[in-house]
Amino acid sequence: EYGAWVTSRNWVRYVLAQPLEDEPGTRVEYSTGSTHLLSAILTKATGKSTWQFAQDTLARPLGFSLAQWTRDPQGIYFGGNEMVMTPKQMLAFGELYRNKGRLAGTQVVPKDWVEESLRPRTRSRFNDQSYGYGWWSREFAGYESFFAWGYGGQYIFIVPELDLVVVTTSSTTVGEERRSHRRTIFDVLEYSILPSVARLAESSNLQSSIFSFSIDC
């Protein structure tokens, strides 16, 4: 229904008009329409656009400015897609969650919410991975990991045991090879990055650092 939804005159009404297929809490169905409803709710509850709310409460404390992104016909910022962040901004967001919502002694996001959002609550029937409140979770190389998953290979990975955040950006036009493309990103994390970081941690040579590299997938 995605195409019909985003070409409709009112995205919120379209979502709310869809029939209920299962009893709430019985079966997971990943839905961009559901997250767009969250954007509409935030807009109503805060009296600000989702962009302005995120700008004031999240981006500014983290030291950057968010670019504006796509809005629906009623002006509500897209709650599921097309948010634009640089790798450094993604890293800052990942570090915030790795540190339980704290930044330089200030609690930017409530600790309880961070823990609740990372806690697995269901499992996808499409990829057999656990899902919390906007965060996926699974093991990589034996380490419990959480990740925010964007279209086409945009990821923020958090590996608490290694005090590690990894972000990836890649082409959104990977066509029919997108599943293989995502698998390659997972493999790089699991078989290259994590073992290397673990070895450095064991030898006590690991310090807080930012590394940047590119690969052809």
Side-chain angles (χ1 to χ4, degrees), residues 49-93:
S49 70
T50 300
W51 170 78
Q52 190 65 60
F53 180 69
Q55 184 85 329
D56 294 342
T57 62
L58 191 65
R60 283 183 183 146
L62 291 178
F64 60 83
S65 179
L66 279 172
Q68 296 186 30
W69 64 94
T70 304
R71 286 177 275 183
D72 73 8
Q74 283 64 51
I76 297 170
Y77 279 88
F78 207 157
N81 287 350
E82 301 182 22
M83 192 176 186
V84 180
M85 297 177 72
T86 68
K88 284 188 177 181
Q89 291 170 352
M90 294 164 66
L91 183 64
F93 182 71

Side-chain angles (χ1 to χ4, degrees), residues 143-215:
Y143 295 98
E144 183 182 38
S145 307
F146 307 93
F147 57 99
W149 180 353
Y151 180 77
Q154 328 307 321
Y155 289 98
I156 303 172
F157 297 98
I158 302 173
V159 189
E161 189 175 343
L162 294 176
D163 290 330
L164 179 68
V165 176
V166 177
V167 303
T168 71
T169 59
S170 48
S171 174
T172 59
T173 56
V174 292
E176 295 303 317
E177 298 302 317
R178 61 188 182 277
R179 289 180 178 82
S180 173
H181 179 73
R182 291 198 299 263
R183 181 66 259 174
T184 300
I185 293 172
F186 283 10
D187 286 349
V188 169
L189 176 71
E190 184 161 25
Y191 301 117
S192 297
I193 296 175
L194 294 187
S196 298
V197 171
R199 285 194 297 271
L200 287 171
E202 288 175 0
S203 63
S204 301
N205 291 327
L206 186 62
Q207 298 178 348
S208 178
S209 303
I210 297 176
F211 300 93
S212 176
F213 64 93
S214 62
I215 57 174

Side-chain angles (χ1 to χ4, degrees), residues 5-6 9 38 44 51 68 117 134 139-140 190-191:
W5 172 50
V6 295
R9 294 182 179 181
L38 287 178
K44 179 78 170 179
W51 170 78
Q68 296 186 30
S117 60
E139 280 194 358
F140 288 101
E190 184 161 25
Y191 301 117

Side-chain angles (χ1 to χ4, degrees), residues 75-136:
I76 297 170
Y77 279 88
F78 207 157
N81 287 350
E82 301 182 22
M83 192 176 186
V84 180
M85 297 177 72
T86 68
K88 284 188 177 181
Q89 291 170 352
M90 294 164 66
L91 183 64
F93 182 71
E95 279 288 293
L96 183 68
Y97 263 70
R98 185 184 69 81
N99 289 309
K100 305 294 186 182
R102 290 182 68 81
L103 174 68
T106 299
Q107 197 72 43
V108 178
V109 177
K111 179 182 177 181
D112 289 348
W113 172 252
V114 172
E115 293 175 346
E116 286 295 300
S117 60
L118 294 180
R119 182 162 64 88
R121 296 173 182 277
T122 188
R123 185 174 291 273
S124 171
R125 60 194 175 95
F126 292 109
N127 58 32
D128 198 36
Q129 293 175 143
S130 296
Y131 193 61
Y133 291 156
W135 290 89
W136 297 89

